[in-house]
Amino acid sequence: MKRLLAYFKFSKTEQNGFFIILVIIVLFVTIYTLIKRNTRDPIPNQAKLFEQSFHDSIEISSPTDKREFNNPYVNKNESRESISPTPDLNDEKLFYFDPNNLPHADWHKLGLSDKQIAVLKNYEKKGGRFKVKTDLKKIYSINERLYKRLEPYIQIKTIPDSERTKQQDRASLLYDKFERNKAELIDINTCDTTALISLKGIGSILSKRILKYKDVLGGFYRIEQLKEVYGVTAETYDLIKDYIVVANLDGIKKININKVDANSLAKHPYLSPKDAKLIVNYRDQHGSYVNIEDLTKIGTLSDLAIAKIAPYLIFENDSR
């Protein structure tokens, strides 16, 4: 026993340390006990707040909504209709309107959301038009409830057939200035870019290409040559061919076939460098050309190439 008690003998310093530790432990236990008594369980507290807010929301909801929560036998379709995301519309804020091209802000005033308006505008972009009131019901973003509120205020302006025809005629005339007046035909050899742009299907870039090609050719002698211009498609040519003429042939630049060198001759779009060299070599070997038939003697030039280049050539004894 004495041997066991020997283990519990403390020096003066150890006794003081033990006493201090004991005091600290007692203080911690006391403080913890006091805090625990004054602290509420957070989970029941949050549940109570949620329950209170839930009942408050029922109290301020419409009678229809309250009936839905209280009546477990409420019809599902009725329930879905009553909690529709579409906000309630105040009849005092509604106004008479035409849904065709109605501004975004006015749709907002009628109570539609941005998503609903986006669907309507997309329908208009694709060429859609509301001809009668019920056409608005075909838009999937407009539910039955919203349509019933808006229907009394829809006023679609009808355009008489005669007026619609007049509008189409005016638009057509504005787009094509020369459709009605055949006297105002464009001479492709003397016109400028402004005249060409006035034609349907011709823009500023294409008009410049046409005039540049005219300069390279030396002038047009047939309107079909427009098909050779890059960008003039078959559809574009069909649109403009009836409004273009080649009236001024005097302005076509001629090439003296008996004096031109191979490099200069090769610059013409209708002759390749090889063709130009053959023409000049044959002239140097056999003498000057007398007429266009002499080019057929070369043998390597096709009849089509000769026919195309012929209007741009003059010969030494040619009076042109």
Side-chain angles (χ1 to χ4, degrees), residues 13-27:
T13 302
E14 290 173 339
Q15 290 177 2
N16 292 335
F18 178 78
F19 179 75
I20 292 173
I21 292 173
L22 184 62
V23 171
I24 292 174
I25 292 172
V26 172
L27 286 174

Side-chain angles (χ1 to χ4, degrees), residues 195-220:
L196 288 174
I197 291 173
S198 68
L199 294 173
K200 187 183 296 185
I202 303 294
S204 59
I205 295 177
L206 190 52
S207 65
K208 292 177 182 178
R209 284 181 188 164
I210 291 172
L211 294 185
K212 184 176 181 180
Y213 189 67
K214 180 194 71 174
D215 293 338
V216 174
L217 278 175
F220 294 101

